[in-house]
Amino acid sequence: MTQQGAVLQGYNNELVKCIEDLCMQKEELNKQIQQAEEEKNKLQHEIQVLSEQLECVCENLSQKVASRNELDKILAETEAAYMKILDSSRTLLNVLKKEVGSLKHMPELKTN
């Protein structure tokens, strides 16, 4: 019986060692899980911060594009009005030149 007790004791010792190994593996896995969760939380926070920054940049960009479009409209209207002024000035100059030219052909007015 002593030999059977020794065999049983050997099995028991192996079983305890296997259980201890499993517990150590579980602890190591728990550490890895905790590190992965911390990394996940850190990345999620960074994503949130970057998303907020992206939202601000997009809003700012949208406002700038709208302002640029308004400036383009004002500039186009101003250039069109300026071209009308140039055209009117050219017409006025041509009329004035004709009038001055016809005055040269008129007899001088007599002064009293």
Side-chain angles (χ1 to χ4, degrees):
M1 196 60 130
T2 315
Q3 186 178 6
Q4 290 174 338
V7 169
L8 185 60
Q9 183 65 38
Y11 290 157
N12 186 49
N13 287 343
E14 266 188 76
L15 184 60
V16 168
K17 184 177 180 335
C18 284
I19 291 172
E20 287 174 351
D21 286 347
L22 288 174
C23 286
M24 287 176 36
Q25 287 179 8
K26 179 184 172 187
E27 285 179 29
E28 179 61 30
L29 192 55
N30 279 338
K31 288 178 186 176
Q32 292 174 3
I33 289 170
Q34 184 177 358
Q35 289 173 345
E37 286 176 345
E38 288 173 1
E39 181 69 13
K40 176 187 150 201
N41 290 337
K42 176 185 169 194
L43 290 173
Q44 284 178 329
H45 176 72
E46 290 175 7
I47 288 171
Q48 180 164 354
V49 168
L50 289 173
S51 293
E52 290 171 3
Q53 289 176 348
L54 178 61
E55 186 177 332
C56 287
V57 167
C58 286
E59 185 177 319
N60 188 281
L61 178 61
S62 177
Q63 291 172 353
K64 287 181 179 184
V65 167
S67 293
R68 183 193 60 195
N69 291 343
E70 184 64 24
L71 287 174
D72 283 344
K73 179 183 170 188
I74 291 169
L75 184 59
E77 291 172 355
T78 302
E79 287 174 345
Y82 183 67
M83 293 306 290
K84 287 179 182 180
I85 291 170
L86 286 178
D87 190 43
S88 295
S89 295
R90 182 176 43 246
T91 301
L92 178 61
L93 180 60
N94 289 335
V95 168
L96 185 59
K97 284 181 179 180
K98 285 180 186 177
E99 292 294 324
V100 168
S102 51
L103 282 178
K104 289 181 182 178
H105 294 82
M106 291 181 81
E108 290 187 34
L109 293 175
K110 295 183 182 179
T111 56
N112 294 346

Coordinates of all heavy atoms in Angstrom, one line a residue, residues 40-56:
K40 N -6.7 49.9 -25.4 CA -8.0 50.2 -26.1 C -8.6 51.5 -25.6 O -9.0 52.3 -26.4 CB -8.9 49.0 -25.9 CG -10.3 49.2 -26.5 CD -11.2 48.1 -26.0 CE -12.6 48.6 -25.9 NZ -13.5 47.8 -25.1
N41 N -8.7 51.7 -24.3 CA -9.2 52.9 -23.8 C -8.4 54.1 -24.2 O -9.0 55.2 -24.5 CB -9.3 52.8 -22.2 CG -10.3 51.8 -21.8 OD1 -11.3 51.5 -22.5 ND2 -10.1 51.3 -20.6
K42 N -7.1 54.0 -24.2 CA -6.3 55.1 -24.6 C -6.5 55.5 -26.1 O -6.7 56.6 -26.4 CB -4.8 54.7 -24.4 CG -3.8 55.7 -24.9 CD -2.4 55.2 -24.8 CE -1.4 56.1 -25.6 NZ -0.1 55.6 -25.8
L43 N -6.6 54.4 -26.9 CA -6.9 54.7 -28.3 C -8.3 55.3 -28.6 O -8.4 56.1 -29.4 CB -6.7 53.4 -29.1 CG -5.3 52.9 -29.3 CD1 -5.2 51.5 -29.9 CD2 -4.4 53.8 -30.0
Q44 N -9.3 54.8 -27.8 CA -10.6 55.3 -28.0 C -10.6 56.8 -27.6 O -11.3 57.6 -28.2 CB -11.6 54.5 -27.1 CG -12.0 53.2 -27.7 CD -12.9 52.4 -26.9 OE1 -12.9 52.4 -25.7 NE2 -13.7 51.6 -27.5
H45 N -9.9 57.1 -26.5 CA -9.8 58.5 -26.1 C -9.2 59.4 -27.2 O -9.6 60.5 -27.5 CB -9.1 58.6 -24.8 CG -8.9 60.1 -24.3 ND1 -9.9 60.8 -23.8 CD2 -7.8 60.9 -24.3 CE1 -9.5 62.0 -23.5 NE2 -8.2 62.1 -23.8
E46 N -8.1 58.9 -27.7 CA -7.4 59.6 -28.8 C -8.3 59.8 -30.0 O -8.3 60.8 -30.7 CB -6.1 58.9 -29.2 CG -5.0 58.9 -28.2 CD -3.8 58.1 -28.5 OE1 -3.7 57.6 -29.6 OE2 -2.9 58.0 -27.6
I47 N -9.1 58.7 -30.3 CA -10.0 58.8 -31.5 C -11.0 59.9 -31.2 O -11.4 60.7 -32.1 CB -10.7 57.4 -31.7 CG1 -9.7 56.4 -32.3 CG2 -11.9 57.6 -32.6 CD1 -10.2 55.0 -32.4
Q48 N -11.5 59.9 -30.0 CA -12.5 60.9 -29.6 C -11.9 62.3 -29.8 O -12.6 63.2 -30.3 CB -13.1 60.7 -28.2 CG -14.1 61.8 -27.8 CD -14.9 61.4 -26.6 OE1 -14.8 60.3 -26.1 NE2 -15.8 62.3 -26.2
V49 N -10.7 62.5 -29.2 CA -10.1 63.8 -29.3 C -9.9 64.2 -30.8 O -10.2 65.3 -31.2 CB -8.7 63.8 -28.6 CG1 -7.9 65.0 -28.9 CG2 -9.0 63.7 -27.1
L50 N -9.4 63.2 -31.6 CA -9.1 63.5 -33.0 C -10.5 63.8 -33.8 O -10.5 64.6 -34.6 CB -8.4 62.4 -33.7 CG -6.9 62.2 -33.2 CD1 -6.3 60.9 -33.8 CD2 -6.1 63.4 -33.7
S51 N -11.5 63.1 -33.4 CA -12.8 63.3 -34.0 C -13.3 64.7 -33.7 O -13.9 65.4 -34.6 CB -13.8 62.3 -33.5 OG -13.5 61.0 -34.0
E52 N -13.1 65.2 -32.5 CA -13.5 66.5 -32.1 C -12.7 67.5 -32.9 O -13.2 68.5 -33.4 CB -13.4 66.7 -30.6 CG -14.4 65.9 -29.8 CD -14.2 66.0 -28.3 OE1 -13.2 66.6 -27.8 OE2 -14.9 65.3 -27.6
Q53 N -11.4 67.3 -33.0 CA -10.6 68.2 -33.7 C -11.0 68.2 -35.2 O -11.0 69.3 -35.8 CB -9.1 67.8 -33.6 CG -8.5 68.0 -32.3 CD -7.1 67.5 -32.1 OE1 -6.6 66.8 -33.0 NE2 -6.4 67.9 -31.1
L54 N -11.3 67.0 -35.8 CA -11.7 66.9 -37.2 C -13.0 67.7 -37.4 O -13.1 68.4 -38.4 CB -11.9 65.5 -37.6 CG -12.4 65.2 -39.0 CD1 -11.4 65.8 -40.0 CD2 -12.6 63.8 -39.2
E55 N -13.9 67.6 -36.4 CA -15.2 68.3 -36.5 C -14.9 69.8 -36.5 O -15.5 70.5 -37.4 CB -16.1 67.9 -35.4 CG -17.5 68.5 -35.5 CD -18.4 68.1 -34.3 OE1 -18.2 67.0 -33.8 OE2 -19.3 68.8 -34.0
C56 N -14.0 70.3 -35.7 CA -13.7 71.7 -35.6 C -13.1 72.2 -36.9 O -13.4 73.2 -37.5 CB -12.8 72.0 -34.5 SG -13.6 72.0 -32.9

